[in-house]
Amino acid sequence: MRKKSSQARNNRAKIKPKLAVWKFASCDGCQLSLLDCEDELLGIAEIIEIANFAEASRHVLPGPYDLSLVEGSITTSHDADRIKDVRNQSRHLVTIGACATSGGVQALRNYAREEEYRKYVYAQPDYISALATSTPISNHVKVDFELQGCPINKTQLLEVISAFLHGRKPNINSYSECVDCKLDGNVCVMVAHGTPCLGPITHAGCGSICPRFNRGCYGCYGPQDSSNPRALGDWMVSMKRASPDFVSRSLQTYYTGNKTFHEASEDFQKNREKAEALGETESLVGRDTDREDTNRKDT
């Protein structure tokens, strides 16, 4: 009897938490960030069972899963049903990347006629079945944590996995990219060169790659917790650093599905249309070409 109890304890000790990685509408870039962990991934495999990860292995273990990482947005009715099944199999569900947390660049369809896009892209659009919108996972099921980025930062991803394995809250910095940019010793491209930059309203995590090469931030890590895109855009327009049209288009990229970014974008578009109607062309002038020229030189 004592021997059986000891064996049962040993078997329980050998059971590792199960990790699953799921893909919806996306480019797979965030899953590649997990594969890019390389040495760290081997360490992860020692303490958790990678039970379902199509990018890494065809071997799939059945659920339930202790932690599910979900990449991509919901763009079809099939996906809308599938994410509910994923949620039912998952003890914890974490969304990773711009697509899963805000709809991604494909959310541009939310503000246009989706059937028009289909007609221009596909020779036989009638064969395509898709929803009129691209929406984040949190619009469909309960999400335990959202990790932003396009693609995500692998160090932040490892922190999130570690946190859920140990039953604690992930320690992800919520400040803007400007903080990391200053800590890295970069010269502020907006102050020094007048280059339009979304760093003050963008979540930290990318390693300030663009400012490091004298380029303005494109906001691919999405809004930080207290971002105010209207205030930043107003300042850039008033200082002739960018036109209202440029500010509007800059906010309609990776996180166009985010409500804060999109509402601000629409406001600047309305300002442009209003100024054009009144003939106030001076207010439409910005240094948009300076940013484009800088980018062209760098590339």
Side-chain angles (χ1 to χ4, degrees):
M1 184 67 180
R2 185 176 298 174
K3 184 177 180 181
K4 286 185 178 179
S5 298
S6 175
Q7 187 174 9
R9 281 197 299 273
N10 290 336
N11 288 339
R12 283 197 296 272
K14 291 178 181 176
I15 297 175
K16 296 189 287 188
K18 292 163 73 175
L19 172 73
V21 184
W22 309 90
K23 170 185 165 58
F24 288 80
S26 60
C27 70
D28 286 25
C30 292
Q31 292 185 72
L32 292 176
S33 293
L34 179 55
L35 287 176
D36 190 40
C37 290
E38 297 181 345
D39 293 342
E40 296 91 339
L41 191 59
L42 295 176
I44 291 173
E46 290 181 358
I47 56 175
I48 60 177
E49 185 82 44
I50 300 178
N52 187 344
F53 186 12
E55 286 271 357
S57 172
R58 289 179 294 178
H59 183 61
V60 176
L61 295 176
Y65 304 102
D66 294 281
L67 176 62
S68 279
L69 303 177
V70 179
E71 178 198 69
S73 64
I74 302 300
T75 58
T76 68
S77 56
H78 170 71
D79 283 350
D81 291 334
R82 190 163 68 96
I83 189 60
K84 293 174 184 173
D85 182 52
V86 170
R87 176 69 265 189
N88 289 336
Q89 296 183 67
S90 308
R91 182 180 173 207
H92 298 295
L93 188 150
V94 173
T95 51
I96 55 174
C99 300
T101 59
S102 81
V105 291
Q106 56 269 35
L108 283 167
R109 72 164 75 172
N110 298 1
Y111 316 104
R113 292 169 59 86
E114 183 264 345
E115 62 268 28
E116 289 293 316
Y117 283 139
R118 257 192 284 169
K119 187 167 61 179
Y120 287 115
V121 173
Y122 299 100
Q124 299 289 337
D126 293 343
Y127 287 105
I128 305 300
S129 176
L131 298 173
T133 57
S134 170
T135 47
I137 301 299
S138 60
N139 280 23
H140 301 267
V141 297
K142 176 179 178 288
V143 171
D144 296 299
F145 188 79
E146 292 183 321
L147 182 61
Q148 296 183 185
C150 183
I152 54 170
N153 177 306
K154 70 175 187 180
T155 303
Q156 290 185 341
L157 176 60
L158 291 171
E159 161 58 18
V160 169
I161 293 174
S162 174
F164 277 94
L165 288 177
H166 292 90
R168 61 176 174 81
K169 182 181 177 182
N171 183 21
I172 302 296
N173 293 324
S174 59
Y175 51 68
S176 81
E177 186 53 40
C178 284
V179 177
D180 280 352
C181 198
K182 293 300 101 189
L183 290 172
D184 289 343
N186 297 322
V187 173
C188 179
V189 295
M190 200 152 56
V191 174
H193 310 303
T195 304
C197 179
L198 297 183
I201 60 173
T202 300
H203 198 286
C206 70
S208 51
I209 297 173
C210 291
R212 201 189 312 159
F213 292 94
N214 288 326
R215 302 173 63 167
C217 169
Y218 286 81
C220 48
Y221 266 64
Q224 58 126 330
D225 287 353
S226 57
S227 67
N228 189 340
R230 287 186 179 86
L232 177 64
D234 284 341
W235 182 84
M236 288 197 287
V237 171
S238 67
M239 297 297 288
K240 303 293 184 188
R241 301 292 170 86
S243 68
D245 183 58
F246 185 85
V247 174
S248 176
R249 287 187 287 111
S250 296
L251 294 170
Q252 290 186 18
T253 53
Y254 306 92
Y255 276 79
T256 189
N258 175 268
K259 184 179 178 182
T260 302
F261 271 23
H262 189 76
E263 288 182 349
S265 169
E266 286 192 322
D267 285 347
F268 283 100
Q269 199 60 30
K270 290 174 183 173
N271 290 344
R272 182 190 67 81
E273 293 169 358
K274 183 179 178 181
E276 281 183 341
L278 295 173
E280 297 173 349
T281 55
E282 180 63 24
S283 65
L284 301 176
V285 177
R287 297 180 61 186
D288 308 347
T289 53
D290 285 2
R291 172 169 170 169
E292 292 164 4
D293 288 344
T294 301
N295 294 345
R296 198 175 298 118
K297 289 173 187 174
D298 292 336
T299 54

